Amino acid sequence: MHAITQSGWIEVISGSMFSGKTEELLRRLRRAEIAGQEISVFKPQLDDRYGETTVGSHAGRSWEASVVPSEGEGVWQIAEELNGEDVVAIDEANFFSAELVDVCEALAADGKRVVVSGTDQTFRAEPFEPVPQLMALAEYVDKLQAICTICGEPATRNQRLIDGEPAHVDDPTILVGAEESYEARCRNCHTLRRD
Ligand SMILES: Nc1ncnc2c1ncn2[C@@H]1O[C@H](COP(=O)(O)OP(=O)(O)O)[C@@H](O)[C@H]1O
Ligand SMILES: Cc1cn([C@H]2C[C@H](O)[C@@H](COP(=O)(O)O)O2)c(=O)[nH]c1=O
Ligand SMILES: [Zn+2]
C-alpha cells in the first residue's frame, strides 16, 4: 500500500459508528502480522465497552491493546511504551485530546506506520476533534459508511438516542456506548432535539 521509504506515515480510518472502522483496523493489523511486522495497539482509558485491554468491533472481533490516558501529557505514554515496533495502531481516536495529533506526527517522523481509527462526527454532526485534524495531516484517509437504520441509504452520521428519543443539542459530547445509545443514520434521517 505504501512505497518503501525512510519515513513513516499516518493512515486514518474514519466514518460513522458501525461503519466498520474497527474491523478495517483489525484487518490491517492481521495483514501486518502476516508480513512479520511488530505491532503495538492502544486505546483510551475512557472507552471501557469491550473490557480493559482489547480493541473490539461491534461484530465481536478483538485485539489486545494497551490502555493509555486520553488527555494531556499522558497521551505521550503511547510513544513511551514503544519498543521498536513498526506499526502503531490507535483505536477510538475521538476520545483523545489534541495531544494525540502531536504524538502521531512524532511517531510518523520516527519512521512508524501509524494507523488511527475514530469517528469524525459528534452526535450533533459536528467535527469530532482530534479526528478531523488527523485526517488533514494523514497520508491516507478512508471514510467508511454504515447503513442508515431508517432508510437503508449509506450512513455518515451518528444518531444519539436517549430512552429512544433523539438527544438534545445541549447534551454532553462524550457518552460511551453502542447500540443502546446510538444508531447509524444518513443526513436526511439524522435528528436533534433543540427545544
Ligand atoms: N447500521 C449498520 N450498518 C452497518 N453495519 C452495522 C450496522 N449496525 C451494526 N453493524 C455491524 O457493525 C459491524 C461494524 O463494526 P465496527 O467495525 O465495530 O464498526 P465501527 O468501529 O465503525 O463502529 C458491521 O460489520 C455490522 O456487523
Ligand atoms: C457520536 C458520538 C460518539 N461517542 C462515543 C460512542 C462510542 O463509545 C464511540 C464511538 O465508537 P465506534 O467505535 O465509532 O462505534 O464514541 C461519543 O462519546 N460522543 C458522540 O457524540
Ligand atoms: Zn436515512
Side-chain angles (χ1 to χ4, degrees), residues 70-156:
S70 54
E71 289 184 354
E73 290 306 302
V75 180
W76 284 96
Q77 208 172 297
I78 293 172
E80 289 156 11
E81 277 194 19
L82 293 180
N83 192 17
E85 288 86 351
D86 314 288
V87 182
V88 182
I90 301 156
D91 198 22
E92 303 292 355
N94 48 289
F95 286 141
F96 283 95
S97 58
E99 281 80 3
L100 183 67
V101 176
D102 295 336
V103 171
C104 291
E105 283 280 293
L107 294 176
D110 194 33
K112 308 290 184 198
R113 172 186 177 190
V114 184
V115 191
V116 186
S117 168
T119 191
D120 55 345
Q121 293 185 15
T122 68
F123 74 98
R124 296 184 205 90
E126 292 170 343
F128 205 157
E129 295 295 352
V131 178
Q133 220 185 121
L134 282 162
M135 290 166 86
L137 294 169
E139 276 75 9
Y140 302 100
V141 176
D142 287 286
K143 177 157 168 157
L144 310 181
Q145 288 86 37
I147 306 295
C148 176
T149 54
I150 303 295
C151 72
E153 292 288 318
T156 52

Side-chain angles (χ1 to χ4, degrees), residues 16-18 21-22 47 49 58 92 94-95 118-119 121-124 128 158 160 173-177 182:
S16 70
M17 293 178 66
F18 311 102
K21 299 183 299 298
T22 303
D47 181 20
R49 272 180 306 173
H58 292 291
E92 303 292 355
N94 48 289
F95 286 141
T119 191
Q121 293 185 15
T122 68
F123 74 98
R124 296 184 205 90
F128 205 157
N158 297 315
R160 183 185 288 174
T173 299
I174 298 297
L175 173 69
V176 177
Y182 292 95

Side-chain angles (χ1 to χ4, degrees), residues 1-7 9 140:
M1 132 172 230
H2 195 89
I4 296 171
T5 64
Q6 298 296 334
S7 69
W9 67 91
Y140 302 100

